[in-house]
Structures are given as structure tokens and as C-alpha cells.
Amino acid sequence: MSDYIQELNEEQRNAVLYNDGPSLVIAGAGSGKTRVLTYKIAYLIKEKNYDAHNILALTFTNKAAKEIVRRVNKDIGRPWSDYIWMGTFHSVFSRILRREAQFLGFTSSYTIYDAADSRSLLRTLIKEMKLDEKVYKPNVVQVHISNAKNHLVSPEGYANSKEAYEADSAIKMPLIRDIYKRYKDRCCQSDVMDFDDLLFYTFMLFRDHPEVLIRYQDLFRYVLVDEYQDTNYAQHCILLQLMQGKTPQLICAVGDDAQSIYSFRGADVDNILNFTKVYPNTKVFKLEQNYRSTQTIVCAANSLIEKNQRQIRKEVFSEKERGEAIGVYQAYSDVEEADIVVNKIMELRRGQHYAYSDFAILYRTNAQSRIFEEAMRKRGMPYRIYGGLSFYQRKEIKDVIAYFRLVVNPNDEEAFKRIINYPARGIGDTTVGKIIAAATEHNVSLWTVLCEPLTYGLNFNKGIVGKLQAFRDLIAGFIADAAEKNANEVGTDVIRQSGIINDICQDNSPENLSRKENIEELVNGMNDFCAQRLEEGNTHVLLGDFLSEVSLLTDQDSDKEGDDEKITLMTVHAAKGLEFKNVFVVGMEENLFPSGMAGESPRALEEERRLFYVAITRAEEHCFLSYAKSRLRYGKMEFSSSSRFLKDIDVRFLRLPQDAVAFRKADRETGSPLFGRKESGGMRLKQPIIAPTVPRNLKRVTPAVGVSGPASPAGSAASHQVQQGQLIEHERFGLGEVLKVEGEGDNAKATIRFKNAGDKQLLLRFARFKVID
DNA sequence: GCAGCCTACATTTTT
DNA sequence: TGTAGGCTGC
């Protein structure tokens, strides 16, 4: 047996060596899952003499796919890994769909709508149907259609479904079925698929064309699936199709039900929970040794996840050192919470010589990042925030990509609409509206109408005709170009000749400079892509090849500077699959984590708990939990109690905040005891903090004027409008009465008499308080 | 056709 | 706060 197999522990090795039928590898957090996958691929090729192209390995992210490719290359050498069918579900299926497009009425150069494109199309359709946009909100409709596709329900099926109709009627949107139908027709007409279609049509292809299915069944002799807990119904069914009628069914699913956190995108934990029922004779392997975290962290995480009903029981353990208890901090406000975290980071760095990159701050919502950002900026600590607008969602990048899309597929409606008048060329909404109306009426694409407006009853004046003609010639020129030149050359032509670069270089505002940089980055990407393809022996790199790669890429994997010396800030979702020496899970409050959106639904709460589990298990050495009793959310001061999840962790693994300064202070100020309930273990567990109530002895003076100003997802400070005589609650000084207000705008000051802190003059711009009703 | 003002709205987000 | 979309007036 080869050396590399010896490096594995017994259970990992068993999982790698078993290849006689379906297998399910339940891989606990930090248990070496990727290792098993890559070694298995290496083993199949090297020892079992599989041809690389007979192996299909599916992942959920490009990043994971890349990592596996990298490791397989290392283990077995490059020549093999190039031929493995490896990639995300979406990229592998889109490859298949391009080959078999004719079976489905598409061309092989179909383009792909991202979520924004499909929302935009839905908005147009809703308008065309003269429905009320307030009732038929495009994103709500989108979720319904997406769900239907993920459950393999076609527009016809949807229209015939009584339940769907009743459910939609109940939410006052009975016509979703009609929108769905139109949406599908429009996509077909535009030769376009959205993300969900890539799965939906693959299923339909295999279902309606058995001869095609058999071809792929024969091709994919062994199928491996990573992160199986995140598969949705459609993916599950496609895998079933590929396995259908096969003996043995050579499928190996790797995953961890405890880390299923994407149900809002259609992922269904049941797929992994029921795997053994769906594939009879499945051999189950449980990787239970955690190589990442201290025993304390592993035990704490176990005690938490134990509270979930629906799960595959396992005993995750660690043989690393025992480690310190998980620290719990309570802050009075979100600002103080950030201070506590930042101080703790400095303390740990001093004491144990950690690098900044050894720390991660994880939160439930992106909006929470702002306060931590400020705290770190103030102290000059380097940090990096993940999330926010991704590279491919930036306006300038989407604009360029839209040109590419139109060149590859002139029928692409959303791309057409995006650039017909960008940069401005005097073709306004009215003209475009007429084109769309004519196209809809005659069931043709916008491009078809553009080419022959007269044929479709559009009699534009001379000026407009000239402008339309110019646009058409521009695109036609690019199309001709693309037939001969390589993608990067066509790309630079597009950027220059379309006028985009001129538009951006008009002035040197910082925004424009960054836009320019982004476009340069895209050009670099294209050059790299082409260079690589040419190196691989291609003679002509099609623009379409670049486009289909880029359409399925998010910038998750484009961050080259991942290892620089910075503190990491990200949502818990984004942290999945990563690990850090020290992790702070912040905002541990009811309605925030678990999210208020989860309500009391047991399923949703279990997923939130899994999310918390994922957060904790990112930590190798130290883990800290913190919460704030009050925070500004969307401009409003909110008071909340600590998260119910804090009570799910066995107190033996927690260090409760007796000695935290913040804790004592808050305790003193509110007069509410933090320890109350007795736990069975003999230790006292913190009681949830109840929102402070207004003492009766302070009289109310004027009617409330609430904290004014629009709300913000960034969770930043709101402006205040206060009047003399109002009663307020300040984040630090507590209750007070406004004595005087002077100055205006940014300089407005208020003199406030605090119940416990005496008179203070506050610059309203910086003051954080709420006006009490 | 388009700049500029006003209003409504705001989890998480692998593809 | 920030953004997207709608509306208005030039």
C-alpha cells in the first residue's frame, strides 16, 4: 500500500479504501475531510486504475474545487488531474448543457443570468403584466420561482399544482404561476439560463433523453460529492439519475449534517440524513477526530449541537491540549463590545505573540462589521473585511461583461438592456420601451427587433435610426472580431471601442480611479485565462469560453492576499471551511443570533444553532462569545437579551464574565443581577439580560420624538432630534433629561442632566442614545 | 434624455 | 447610512 495512505487515521483510511458501493463519509468539523476526498481520488487513479476522466468530483465552490485540484496534483501529478471532471455542480452541469444544448432548444453559446439579471427580468415582466409591484415584489417572486426549480417543478407543473396556487393565493400572489411561465419563455427566447436552470435543465435532459443519460452514466464511473449536506433537491435527483440502475452504485458523499447552513438557498439537510435510505447498502464512515481545535472547544461545540433533534449522532473528539474555556463577554452597547474584543486581541497578542492574521471576528450580519471596523481603525489595527460587493457585481465589471454577453449571445435581453445606452448614446427609455414591446409582441429577441425595426412595426425618426444602427454595427463588429481574435483581444477592443473606458476616464475622481483599476484587473484576468488556454494547446480562445468561466465565478477565490497580516472580519456563513487560532463570535443576542427571522420555527432555529456550531468550530485555540445589551440597528436603539444559544453550551466549558470590567459596570448601572438560574452541574449560568425598563420616578416631559434619520444596514449612528425637556437613554450614562439644545447641524450640542452621571454637554453628532417614549 | 431630488427599504448568499 | 427606483423639471 502506498505511503500516502499510511498518513491517514484508521477511519479516514477505511473511507478511502472502501470502493465497492455507495459510501457516506460523515466528516465532523476539522476532521480532515478534504484529505479523504483527495486521497480517494488519488487512490482510485493510482491503485484502482480508474481513468481520470471517468471520475466526477463535485463541490459547491470554485475555491473548494481548486483546493482539491491542487492537492490531487500534488499527490498524483498533473497529467491525471487535468482530465478529472471536477468542479462545482453548476460549472460541470453547464459544461454538459453546452454540449447537449440542442436537446433542450438552446444553443451551445447560451449565456447565464445572475441573480440580479433574473430579478431585473422579473421586474420587467411584472410591469408588462400590469401587476402591482408592491404586491408582486420581484425578489419574493424570484424566491418562489427558484424554489420551484430547485424542486424540479416546471412552469406547467406549477400551474397545475393546487398547493402552489393555494399557497400563492394565501400570500396574495396567485399569479406567480403566470410570471413563472413568462419568465421561462423569455429566458428561452433570449437563449439564457439562470443558476437554477443549470440544475433544472440537466435533470430534464437526463429524464427526457435516456440515451444522453446513459452516455454520462458510462462516462462517470465514480462520483464524489463534497459538502453533501448543502445539496438541494435538484442536485440530489441528478445524482440519483446518474446512479440509477447501476450496480454497484459508486457514489461517495462527504459532508457534515451539523454544518448545513444554506437552507435559504434550497439546501436540504434531509439529503444527507436520508442518504442511507436512498442508497441501500451504503457504508457509513464517521470521521470523529478533530485535528483543529482544543478539547474544550470541541466539547463546547458538541454540547451545543447535541440540542438539535435532527442529526446524525457522532462523537467528535480532540486529542489536542485541553485549552482554555470559552470566554463570554457582556457589553452595555455595541461600541463597548467592539472595545472589549479589540482589547482582548491586543492582550492576547502581547501575551502570546499571535499575529493579527490569527484572529477572526465572526458575526451574523454584515451590518455588524462597521463598529468593529471603527474600533480597529481608531487603534491602527490592520483588518480585512470579507463580503460586501463582490468583484463581479461591481457596476463597471457588469457593464463590460454585458458587452461580452451580447457579443457571444446577441439575444441576451438583460445584457442588451444594460448597455444599449451605456455609455450614453442617446437611446432613451422610450425607444428601448418600444423595442421591448415590439419584441414581446412578435416573440422575438430585442436584438432581432433592433436589426430590423421596420419589420416589427417600429418607424423611428432618422436620428434614432442612425443611433440604433451605430449600436448594431458596434456589436456586429465585435462579433466578427470574436470569430478570429482571442478573448483578451476582443475584450480590450470592447472596452476601448464601446466608449466605456472614455466614460470612466472623464475625470479623476476616486470612484473612477477604482473603476479603472477594476477594469484593468478584469483585463489581467482575461490575459491570464488566454495565456493558460494557449499553453494547454488551444489555438483560439473564444470569448464565450472566458465568459462561461466568469459567469460561474464569484470572487470568493480571487482573493490572493488571503494570508496577509490582518484581522479577519466576516459573517459566519463566509467563515465555513476556514480556521483561525482565535475566534470572536460577536452579537450573541436574541433576534440577532439566532436571527429574528428564524422566529420560533424549530427547523430554522436548528439551522441557526448549526450556524453557531460552525462559528465556534472555526477556532483552534481560543474562542470568545460576546453580546451587547443595546445596539443601534437601522438607526434605532435596540435593547435585547443574550442569545438563547449561550444556554445551550455546557457551562463547564464557558468562562463567565465575572471579572470583565464591562460586565461589572453594566451590572452596576442596570442593577440587574447577571447570575440567577442554577444549572444542574452546580455552576451558575447567566440569566438572559432583560431590556432595561424606565424607572418610574423620572417624569416624562414631552411626547416622544424617537431617534430620527433613515435606517441603515450598516448599523451606524443615526442623527438625533431632541428638544428641551425630553427624556433620553444614553448608551453609557443611562437616563437623562434634556435641559438645553444649542447650535445646528454637526455642531448641535445638548446639555443633559443624567440621573446617575450629573450634567453633561454632548455633541449630538457623536452622542448615542434613544429618546424615551 | 437626463440630472437631481424624494422615498422606501434594509439576514445569511457557495452558483 | 446607503442604495435603488421613481418622479420631476429642464
Side-chain angles (χ1 to χ4, degrees):
Chain A
M1 197 186 296
S2 303
D3 294 346
Y4 63 94
I5 302 285
Q6 297 301 334
E7 294 168 21
L8 301 171
N9 72 30
E10 197 186 342
E11 196 65 5
Q12 289 174 329
R13 194 180 319 132
N14 291 340
V16 168
L17 297 181
Y18 178 79
N19 294 304
D20 300 333
S23 60
L24 174 64
V25 182
I26 300 293
S31 64
K33 168 185 69 117
T34 312
R35 211 164 189 221
V36 167
L37 261 173
T38 53
Y39 280 36
K40 197 175 184 91
I41 293 172
Y43 179 74
L44 289 173
I45 293 173
K46 276 185 138 174
E47 317 285 331
K48 294 295 221 177
N49 297 321
Y50 272 81
D51 273 338
H53 69 263
N54 288 138
I55 296 175
L56 170 65
L58 297 167
T59 61
F60 276 83
T61 61
N62 292 300
K63 199 170 159 186
K66 262 193 185 164
E67 175 62 11
I68 294 175
V69 168
R70 192 184 66 78
R71 293 219 219 164
V72 171
N73 279 339
K74 211 178 101 202
D75 290 336
I76 60 174
R78 213 171 189 322
W80 283 286
S81 72
D82 281 348
Y83 300 101
I84 300 173
W85 278 76
M86 158 118 56
T88 63
F89 277 88
H90 290 82
S91 71
V92 168
F93 292 165
S94 79
R95 242 169 104 187
I96 294 177
L97 289 171
R98 266 186 219 289
R99 291 180 165 197
E100 319 295 342
Q102 76 278 6
F103 287 101
L104 298 159
F106 287 84
T107 76
S108 63
S109 47
Y110 69 83
T111 39
I112 296 172
Y113 274 0
D114 68 11
D117 293 320
S118 63
R119 215 174 306 126
S120 159
L121 174 57
L122 284 170
R123 189 171 295 118
T124 345
L125 292 176
I126 290 166
K127 277 185 200 158
E128 276 175 22
M129 292 168 71
K130 305 225 161 33
L131 299 171
D132 184 356
E133 262 189 274
K134 295 264 157 55
V135 180
Y136 288 87
K137 291 186 184 152
N139 27 0
V140 176
V141 177
Q142 186 181 30
V143 168
H144 279 79
I145 292 179
S146 173
N147 278 340
K149 285 182 186 169
N150 286 335
H151 286 93
L152 304 172
V153 179
S154 64
E156 297 72 35
Y158 200 87
N160 292 331
S161 158
K162 219 178 138 211
E163 299 106 80
Y165 184 72
E166 279 166 8
D168 291 346
S169 302
I171 51 166
K172 305 254 180 329
M173 295 196 271
L175 297 180
I176 289 182
R177 54 186 195 181
D178 298 337
I179 304 176
Y180 185 13
K181 176 78 172 63
R182 278 185 186 230
Y183 177 79
K184 188 212 149 179
D185 292 345
R186 281 290 264 275
C187 287
C188 289
Q189 189 169 87
S190 306
D191 198 15
V192 143
M193 294 196 198
D194 64 21
F195 288 139
D196 301 317
D197 286 334
L198 296 176
L199 308 178
F200 180 83
Y201 283 120
T202 302
F203 178 85
M204 294 304 160
L205 172 74
F206 288 159
R207 188 195 68 182
D208 300 337
H209 303 276
E211 70 285 4
V212 178
L213 175 61
I214 288 171
R215 252 197 289 134
Y216 285 96
Q217 281 189 327
D218 290 345
L219 178 63
F220 303 138
R221 289 181 52 211
Y222 207 110
V223 178
L224 299 105
V225 189
D226 191 18
E227 306 277 15
Y228 197 82
Q229 76 280 0
D230 291 332
T231 51
N232 64 28
Y233 182 73
Q235 287 157 334
H236 160 88
C237 290
I238 296 168
L239 291 170
L240 259 180
Q241 286 177 318
L242 288 171
M243 287 299 134
Q244 176 189 314
K246 278 194 172 181
T247 34
Q249 295 177 307
L250 295 178
I251 180 169
C252 171
V254 183
D256 181 6
D257 56 296
Q259 295 185 64
S260 169
I261 55 173
Y262 281 106
S263 73
F264 67 91
R265 292 200 70 257
D268 189 350
V269 220
D270 285 344
N271 287 341
I272 193 164
L273 296 177
N274 296 331
F275 189 90
T276 51
K277 288 180 203 137
V278 176
Y279 297 96
N281 307 320
T282 295
K283 206 148 160 66
V284 179
F285 301 91
K286 290 185 186 176
L287 308 184
E288 293 172 316
Q289 179 165 3
N290 175 308
Y291 293 94
R292 178 186 298 153
S293 315
T294 62
Q295 293 184 21
T296 304
I297 290 168
V298 167
C299 291
N302 281 346
S303 71
L304 168 78
I305 203 67
E306 224 170 55
K307 304 287 189 298
N308 271 6
Q309 296 299 312
R310 303 154 46 81
Q311 62 171 310
I312 297 167
R313 298 283 158 187
K314 48 192 162 302
E315 293 292 327
V316 179
F317 67 97
S318 165
E319 285 181 359
K320 289 182 69 173
E321 70 275 26
R322 187 162 198 186
E324 288 170 34
I326 293 182
V328 180
Y329 297 109
Q330 179 203 247
Y332 188 66
S333 69
D334 45 359
V335 178
E336 191 176 35
E337 181 187 30
D339 279 345
I340 293 174
V341 168
V342 162
N343 286 337
K344 190 72 200 173
I345 291 176
M346 297 206 290
E347 184 192 317
L348 279 168
R349 264 175 60 81
R350 269 199 305 273
Q352 311 195 26
H353 305 291
Y354 285 116
Y356 281 120
S357 53
D358 290 332
F359 296 90
I361 299 174
L362 308 183
Y363 34 77
R364 179 67 237 268
T365 67
N366 278 315
Q368 289 164 259
S369 69
R370 176 70 61 98
I371 305 252
F372 290 92
E373 218 181 326
E374 274 165 23
M376 285 186 285
R377 212 169 25 215
K378 233 188 280 171
R379 277 166 237 237
M381 296 162 87
Y383 62 88
R384 166 184 214 85
I385 298 187
Y386 289 79
L389 211 51
S390 88
F391 183 74
Y392 295 101
Q393 285 170 19
R394 298 214 156 89
K395 183 189 175 301
E396 60 276 17
I397 300 303
K398 290 200 76 170
D399 290 336
V400 175
I401 300 278
Y403 273 94
F404 293 173
R405 273 164 50 181
L406 206 60
V407 171
V408 171
N409 169 19
N411 294 321
D412 188 321
E413 177 172 338
E414 291 303 315
F416 184 101
K417 283 195 290 194
R418 189 174 183 98
I419 56 168
I420 173 106
N421 200 29
Y422 177 79
R425 45 175 73 86
I427 306 172
D429 289 347
T430 324
T431 309
V432 177
K434 285 180 191 164
I435 295 177
I436 295 175
T440 319
E441 194 193 326
H442 294 94
N443 261 335
V444 292
S445 73
L446 305 189
W447 177 256
T448 313
V449 177
L450 175 81
C451 292
E452 297 172 66
L454 270 176
T455 317
Y456 299 98
L458 292 180
N459 205 351
F460 292 119
N461 68 41
K462 232 188 192 166
I464 300 275
V465 169
K467 289 169 182 168
L468 293 177
Q469 182 84 41
F471 178 68
R472 205 199 68 168
D473 291 347
L474 179 75
I475 301 297
F478 294 144
I479 294 175
D481 244 20
E484 291 172 7
K485 295 187 186 169
N486 285 329
N488 55 340
E489 298 164 295
V490 189
T492 38
D493 285 352
V494 166
I495 292 165
R496 230 176 300 129
Q497 292 171 28
S498 65
I500 291 182
I501 207 72
N502 281 346
D503 187 64
I504 286 173
C505 291
Q506 277 192 355
D507 66 296
N508 278 336
S509 62
E511 300 86 51
N512 274 346
L513 281 175
S514 118
R515 286 195 189 117
K516 212 173 135 193
E517 275 171 25
N518 286 329
I519 289 186
E520 274 160 16
E521 183 67 37
L522 183 71
V523 172
N524 288 341
M526 273 196 299
N527 288 338
D528 290 350
F529 178 84
C530 290
Q532 199 190 330
R533 287 294 163 103
L534 292 172
E535 203 178 290
E536 284 165 9
N538 293 291
T539 46
H540 183 194
V541 187
L542 295 169
L543 183 63
D545 291 347
F546 175 71
L547 190 60
S548 46
E549 166 137 329
V550 128
S551 304
L552 294 171
L553 220 59
T554 51
D555 70 343
Q556 283 297 109
D557 49 346
S558 66
D559 50 354
K560 317 158 197 112
E561 320 117 284
D563 50 8
D564 51 10
E565 181 36 9
K566 284 175 179 165
I567 299 168
T568 301
L569 280 82
M570 54 169 67
T571 61
V572 182
H573 280 96
K576 192 170 143 204
L578 305 178
E579 55 188 23
F580 303 90
K581 290 225 167 70
N582 307 301
V583 168
F584 292 84
V585 188
V586 301
M588 291 305 305
E589 294 135 47
E590 205 51 31
N591 290 326
L592 189 56
F593 200 174
S595 158
M597 300 287 182
E600 288 304 317
S601 139
R603 255 182 184 248
L605 282 170
E606 289 204 342
E607 176 148 325
E608 293 284 323
R609 194 179 279 115
R610 291 194 291 267
L611 200 50
F612 189 27
Y613 176 83
V614 168
I616 292 174
T617 54
R618 297 311 96 197
E620 295 171 28
E621 295 174 11
H622 293 98
C623 181
F624 302 93
L625 311 174
S626 65
Y627 61 96
K629 296 190 347 176
S630 64
R631 71 170 67 237
L632 272 174
R633 276 225 280 173
Y634 303 133
K636 288 207 179 73
M637 184 67 85
E638 282 185 1
F639 295 92
S640 55
S641 50
S642 58
S643 167
R644 64 178 83 189
F645 290 160
L646 292 181
K647 279 186 278 178
D648 289 341
I649 299 178
D650 188 323
V651 281
R652 285 174 299 166
F653 307 116
L654 295 179
R655 189 180 63 248
L656 293 163
Q658 287 98 322
D659 48 12
V661 178
F663 183 81
R664 277 210 307 274
K665 195 170 84 183
D667 213 344
R668 196 171 55 237
E669 283 180 12
T670 58
S672 64
L674 294 162
F675 289 80
R677 191 160 63 91
K678 259 202 152 190
E679 275 294 291
S680 51
M683 277 184 78
R684 282 158 170 269
L685 183 65
K686 185 169 6 68
Q687 188 84 312
I689 307 302
I690 312 299
T693 49
V694 184
R696 304 255 162 75
N697 56 355
L698 260 168
K699 64 179 165 68
R700 226 177 105 218
V701 191
T702 40
V705 178
V707 175
S708 70
S712 152
S716 44
S719 57
H720 301 284
Q721 287 173 1
V722 285
Q723 292 164 14
Q724 192 179 351
Q726 274 174 338
L727 191 58
I728 62 132
E729 163 119 17
H730 187 267
E731 65 162 0
R732 256 182 308 141
F733 305 127
L735 289 165
E737 187 188 331
V738 180
L739 297 183
K740 197 162 72 177
V741 182
E742 52 201 330
E744 270 185 35
D746 279 357
N747 297 319
K749 285 179 191 162
T751 312
I752 297 169
R753 174 160 295 163
F754 289 101
K755 191 179 160 233
N756 295 323
D759 288 6
K760 289 200 189 297
Q761 197 178 50
L762 302 175
L763 198 54
L764 287 176
R765 182 154 57 108
F766 296 122
R768 292 160 58 89
F769 56 79
K770 77 161 180 177
V771 178
I772 291 169
D773 192 338

